[in-house]
Amino acid sequence: MFQSPTRVERWRTKVCRHISADRWENLLAHSASATPFSTQSWLRSWSATFGCRPLYVIASELDGTLLAGIPVLEMPIHRGILREYESLPWGCYGSVIMRNDSSPDCIGAVLTRYLNLVLSPLCLGGTVVDFAGNSSMLSNAATSVGDNFTHVLKLGRPLEEISRDYDYSIKKNLKKAERNSVFVRDANAAREVEAYCDLSDEVAKKYNRPPYSRDFFRNVYELMTPLGHARFTLAFQHERPIAGTLHIISGNHIFNWLTVSNPSFLDLRPVEAIIATMI
């Protein structure tokens, strides 16, 4: 009996420097494994700040439809002669992106293509982040394998049900924030992004860590917020910013990334107020 070729038999893999926004957004919109850190605007923010170049390791149908992919940042080293590759740097959450109706074999093919990229003689190394657990095939070639976790809260349910998951102490803290005139809203001007950066610097100083790049946050604000892919949310007391967070957004996913606060105002519970507002 003659059988027409299946979808699995009609795709190919390659590494692309450029992919149109329409094609990439179409993949993200039809993938349960896509996260806010998969967007092109996130990659552009990194590129504009640190000089790295976006790459896409993809599997696609012959007509160009994307079936799976890994967004990668290529970092030139030694005047661009050598390079390193980062998939989802700074502990970002995500996995290999796969179109919902595609074969899981696409993931293996994309990971194999990424491994070939990293094993190039001109490559000093690379990382891949895969919270879905598909990257075990790379472990034999890796010099190190690490475990990490993130908290995922399902919001597709009534607010009353979500609130029932709060224990008494959190509810008490939210009432304390309200009593102390703590209110929350999104930043609507560049100067408020600078206020967020000031808070970030204070946290870095408290824990004796290097500060995060202000230019990175500025680029996120300029490149991502107009597209609805990011927003800076601040907690105020009497118009003074006392805490903040950066929300990274894509589709029906929102990621609470790098929450910061003024140590002198922690007892007012501004962080809890921000999280409650996000929910």
Side-chain angles (χ1 to χ4, degrees):
M1 179 183 296
F2 174 78
Q3 291 183 338
S4 61
T6 64
R7 186 170 203 171
V8 177
E9 295 170 331
R10 293 186 285 115
W11 46 257
R12 58 189 176 185
T13 63
K14 61 180 178 178
V15 179
C16 301
R17 181 72 65 187
H18 303 288
I19 290 182
S20 71
D22 289 344
R23 289 179 67 204
W24 190 252
E25 288 298 321
N26 181 268
L27 173 63
L28 301 188
H30 295 88
S31 173
S33 54
T35 76
F37 302 108
S38 307
T39 63
Q40 290 184 324
S41 60
W42 176 253
L43 295 180
R44 284 196 296 270
S45 296
W46 277 84
S47 180
T49 306
F50 302 108
C52 43
R53 298 175 293 200
L55 283 178
Y56 304 89
V57 185
I58 61 166
S60 64
E61 289 189 325
L62 299 182
D63 65 1
T65 301
L66 298 179
L67 302 179
I70 305 176
V72 180
L73 290 168
E74 180 185 72
M75 290 166 287
I77 300 173
H78 298 306
R79 300 181 181 179
I81 299 174
L82 304 176
R83 58 199 61 117
E84 291 182 347
Y85 297 100
E86 288 275 355
S87 164
L88 302 174
W90 279 6
C92 299
Y93 171 67
S95 301
V96 179
I97 305 162
M98 186 183 78
R99 185 176 291 271
N100 294 332
D101 58 350
S102 299
S103 165
D105 291 341
C106 291
I107 293 179
V110 166
L111 286 171
T112 299
R113 192 65 181 244
Y114 180 73
L115 180 59
N116 291 337
L117 183 70
V118 173
L119 293 177
S120 163
L122 298 179
C123 178
L124 295 181
T127 64
V128 62
V129 176
D130 187 53
F131 276 71
N134 296 307
S135 299
S136 58
M137 62 170 293
L138 296 178
S139 60
N140 291 334
T143 56
S144 64
V145 178
D147 292 326
N148 210 333
F149 71 92
T150 192
H151 299 287
V152 178
L153 179 62
K154 295 183 178 180
L155 300 179
R157 50 192 174 134
L159 183 60
E160 294 77 13
E161 182 179 337
I162 298 173
S163 299
R164 283 199 297 270
D165 292 340
Y166 279 113
D167 60 27
Y168 172 75
S169 62
I170 296 178
K171 294 178 181 178
K172 182 179 178 181
N173 289 338
L174 291 175
K175 291 180 180 178
K176 184 174 183 180
E178 184 178 354
R179 287 197 306 271
N180 284 279
S181 303
V182 174
F183 66 94
V184 177
R185 66 169 173 81
D186 293 337
N188 54 26
R191 60 181 174 79
E192 292 181 339
V193 176
E194 295 300 320
Y196 172 86
C197 293
D198 291 339
L199 293 168
S200 175
D201 288 348
E202 288 189 41
V203 173
K205 183 178 180 180
K206 176 182 177 181
Y207 292 101
N208 196 29
R209 296 196 310 245
Y212 287 101
S213 167
R214 283 182 176 248
D215 284 339
F216 177 69
F217 295 127
R218 291 164 182 158
N219 285 324
V220 167
Y221 182 70
E222 293 175 4
L223 298 174
M224 298 185 70
T225 54
L227 300 174
H229 292 169
R231 66 172 181 253
F232 291 84
T233 304
L234 298 172
F236 298 82
Q237 188 193 40
H238 308 307
E239 299 298 330
R240 177 180 179 177
I242 59 174
T245 195
L246 169 56
H247 291 125
I248 308 297
I249 307 159
S250 177
N252 60 353
H253 293 84
I254 181 168
F255 199 97
N256 183 18
W257 196 73
L258 194 61
T259 298
V260 295
S261 60
N262 186 322
S264 301
F265 293 90
L266 281 176
D267 62 323
L268 302 184
R269 306 304 179 186
V271 172
E272 287 88 341
I274 289 175
I275 294 174
T277 300
M278 178 191 72
I279 294 173

